[in-house]
């Protein structure tokens, strides 16, 4: 029993207790309780100014909390910072490198300046990290000739030199083009496969959705959600069904409600929807007369065929069935709406705006550097 408790404690990599930072009257981070487990790829999400960087700076001991504590590897970072920092690699602000030296020589300088007694860094390690961030081919080129994506990857390479257990990355894809973003994402996956714990902040939700297993969502300094990505995605998944007439829609609604009450508990709710299945931006569904013919079923997207079969058995043939996988973006919108207007819910049908074009986020686009 004790062993189980001990191993669970060993597996908590970051835990904060009521961590708070105020700048004058502004509470940048409020009463934050985070928990990151070993092996997590943990997404720390929030719009600009929500307190992500402030939190990371407190974790790294760069600024002091106004209240609360942070434990990393079970060690209190107020008292045991040097022991903690030896096991962490971080990229917080754009790292400073010598512009006219090559990427490889920049890493050599950093390796020479690092804690040699503990991490006898040598050329072999430098080649390993260059390989990991896929910069070996360009490692001999001067830093100032690097693209933003290459600069970002060299920064990560520098953070990896000491082979840290925990890697903190503050908006690693900021300002990168889609190719640069994919490269960073692939790098994060490789690091996770090596068993590293990764804590990464971002305001680009669809990015995070693809690499993180757990997330915390910050809104104006407050934690509004912390949990598994898969569970959050399930929260906003649903199926839209368009019938040919409002009479058929009414019949289908009744049928599905009966099915739910009769044991199909995977149907969480059924209601008339305000948005058509095609969700075309700019087209009001009511103008298309779809409000009366479309149903929204709160159910796992993969159950669409089953719903279709249920309806067909009663001679109700759907004009369109649209399984909708959940997204972090929708979960975020629901959660922030709930945080701003307690009691109200953005999941009310038709409450969500049309999907944005790929690459865009409701939290805004990546900042240019
Ligand atoms: N040194 C400081 N002095 C005063 N206010 C600060 C300071 N650092 C941060 N803030 C404020 O604290 C709030 C949180 O800022 P923070 O940089 O942590 O946000 P963020 O989530 O990292 O945002 P971004 O996505 O823009 O990087 C902001 O309102 C910011 O203006
Ligand atoms: Mg920031």
């Amino acid at each position: 029993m004790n062993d189980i408790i001990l191993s669970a404690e060993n597996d908590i990599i970051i835990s904060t207790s009521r961590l708070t930072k105020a700048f004058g009257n502004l509470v940048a981070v409020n009463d934050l309780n985070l928990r990151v487990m070993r092996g997590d790829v943990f997404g720390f999400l929030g719009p600009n100014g929500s307190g992500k960087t402030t939190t990371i700076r407190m974790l790294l001991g760069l600024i002091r909390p106004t209240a609360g504590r942070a434990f990393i590897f079970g060690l209190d970072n107020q008292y045991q910072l040097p022991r903690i920092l030896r096991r962490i690699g971080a990229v917080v602000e754009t790292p400073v490198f010598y512009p006219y030296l090559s990427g490889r020589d920049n890493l050599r300088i950093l390796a020479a300046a690092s804690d040699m007694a503990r991490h006898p860094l040598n050329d072999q390690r430098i080649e390993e990290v260059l390989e990991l961030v896929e910069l070996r081919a360009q490692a001999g080129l001067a830093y100032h000739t690097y693209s933003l994506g290459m600069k970002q990857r060299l920064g990560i390479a520098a953070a990896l030199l000491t082979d840290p257990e925990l890697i903190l990355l503050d908006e690693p894809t900021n300002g990168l083009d889609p190719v640069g973003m994919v490269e960073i994402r692939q790098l994060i996956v490789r690091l996770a496969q090596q068993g590293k714990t990764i804590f990464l902040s971002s305001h680009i939700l669809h990015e995070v959705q693809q690499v993180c297993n757990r997330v915390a969502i910050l809104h104006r300094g407050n934690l509004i959600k912390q949990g598994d990505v898969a569970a959050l995605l399930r929260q906003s998944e649903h199926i839209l069904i368009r019938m040919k007439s409002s009479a058929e829609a009414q019949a289908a609604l009744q049928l599905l409600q009966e099915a739910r009450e009769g044991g199909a508990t995977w149907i969480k709710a059924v209601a008339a929807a305000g948005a058509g299945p095609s969700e075309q931006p700019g087209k009001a569904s009511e103008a298309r007369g779809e409000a009366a013919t479309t149903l929204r079923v709160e159910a796992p997207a993969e159950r669409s065929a089953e719903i279709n079969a249920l309806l067909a058995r009663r001679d109700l043939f759907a004009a369109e069935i649209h399984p909708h996988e959940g997204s972090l973006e929708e979960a975020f919108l629901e959660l922030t709406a709930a945080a701003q207007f307690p009691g109200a819910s953005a999941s009310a049908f038709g409450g969500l705006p049309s999907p944005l074009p790929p690459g865009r986020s409701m939290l805004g686009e990546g900042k240019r550097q």
Side-chain angles (χ1 to χ4, degrees):
M1 186 66 192
N2 269 346
D3 282 356
I4 294 169
I5 293 169
L6 269 180
S7 76
E9 281 184 358
N10 279 337
D11 283 342
I12 300 172
I13 298 296
I14 299 176
S15 101
T16 67
S17 162
R18 312 200 64 174
L19 198 63
T20 301
K21 181 70 186 181
F23 297 106
N25 286 333
L26 176 90
V27 183
V29 176
N30 186 28
D31 235 0
L32 181 63
N33 295 315
L34 282 180
R35 181 165 282 206
V36 178
M37 306 300 288
R38 186 180 303 282
D40 273 348
V41 180
F42 192 96
F44 193 43
L45 294 172
N48 294 141
S50 54
K52 303 180 298 291
T53 302
T54 304
T55 302
I56 291 177
R57 290 168 72 84
M58 285 194 280
L59 292 175
L60 291 170
L62 294 168
I63 52 172
R64 257 178 187 281
T66 311
R69 297 160 81 181
F71 298 88
I72 301 179
F73 312 119
L75 306 169
D76 187 331
N77 84 341
Q78 206 176 324
Y79 303 106
Q80 289 165 300
L81 195 60
R83 275 182 71 191
I84 293 170
L85 292 182
R86 270 186 216 120
R87 297 162 67 184
I88 295 186
V91 184
V92 183
E93 255 108 48
T94 315
V96 180
F97 290 107
Y98 292 97
Y100 291 97
L101 292 183
S102 69
R104 183 180 279 114
D105 283 344
N106 268 294
L107 291 184
R108 282 187 180 135
I109 288 172
L110 287 171
S114 76
D115 186 350
M116 295 292 281
R118 268 177 187 275
H119 305 281
L121 294 172
N122 49 30
D123 281 352
Q124 191 193 327
R125 180 64 191 156
I126 289 169
E127 296 312 310
E128 273 170 22
V129 295
L130 284 169
E131 181 84 46
L132 198 56
V133 303
E134 294 186 331
L135 270 183
R136 260 190 107 169
Q138 300 99 334
L141 301 175
Y143 176 76
H144 74 94
T145 67
Y146 281 13
S147 70
L148 196 55
M150 290 160 70
K151 286 177 176 165
Q152 194 69 307
R153 281 183 284 137
L154 189 70
I156 297 176
L160 295 175
L161 277 171
T162 55
D163 197 15
E165 288 163 59
L166 168 64
I167 298 152
L168 293 159
L169 303 172
D170 191 14
E171 309 229 27
T173 56
N174 214 354
L176 300 187
D177 62 19
V179 174
M181 284 191 180
V182 171
E183 285 166 349
I184 296 283
R185 205 156 65 216
Q186 289 169 341
L187 171 56
I188 289 169
V189 170
R190 284 198 294 279
L191 292 170
Q193 282 165 350
Q194 292 187 351
K196 307 286 186 201
T197 304
I198 297 158
F199 183 92
L200 94 127
S201 83
S202 179
H203 61 271
I204 304 173
L205 297 174
H206 69 100
E207 273 285 309
V208 168
Q209 191 174 316
Q210 295 177 59
V211 287
C212 295
N213 65 315
R214 293 190 71 233
V215 288
I217 301 179
L218 268 192
H219 185 59
R220 299 187 184 150
N222 294 296
L223 181 68
I224 53 170
K225 185 79 187 181
Q226 178 167 219
D228 285 348
V229 171
L232 267 173
L233 296 184
R234 271 199 299 279
Q235 209 169 295
S236 60
E237 81 179 329
H238 60 264
I239 299 164
L240 290 173
I241 304 167
R242 190 164 63 79
M243 304 303 290
K244 289 185 208 85
S245 68
S246 57
E248 283 193 9
Q250 193 54 40
L253 180 106
Q254 210 168 340
L255 173 65
L256 292 173
Q257 265 164 356
E258 280 166 18
R260 186 172 71 88
E261 282 151 23
T265 50
W266 48 270
I267 301 177
K268 299 280 176 258
V270 193
S278 42
E279 296 184 29
Q280 287 171 24
K283 278 200 183 175
S285 52
E286 273 171 35
R288 287 178 287 165
E290 282 182 357
T293 56
T294 303
L295 302 179
R296 175 171 158 141
V297 185
E298 306 300 321
E302 76 261 15
R303 296 276 195 168
S304 306
E306 232 163 306
I307 288 193
N308 201 8
L310 265 174
L311 297 175
R313 246 178 266 146
R314 297 278 192 91
D315 287 335
L316 289 166
F317 298 100
E320 203 174 340
I321 292 199
H322 180 76
H324 182 93
E325 308 273 348
S327 71
L328 273 185
E329 190 137 325
E330 286 165 300
F332 177 85
L333 286 168
E334 280 189 28
L335 290 163
T336 49
Q340 277 169 334
F341 310 106
S345 166
S347 70
F349 306 132
L352 293 173
S354 305
L356 292 168
R360 292 283 300 273
S361 162
M362 286 309 296
L363 301 184
E365 287 179 277
K367 286 176 291 184
R368 295 279 144 193
Q369 284 174 337

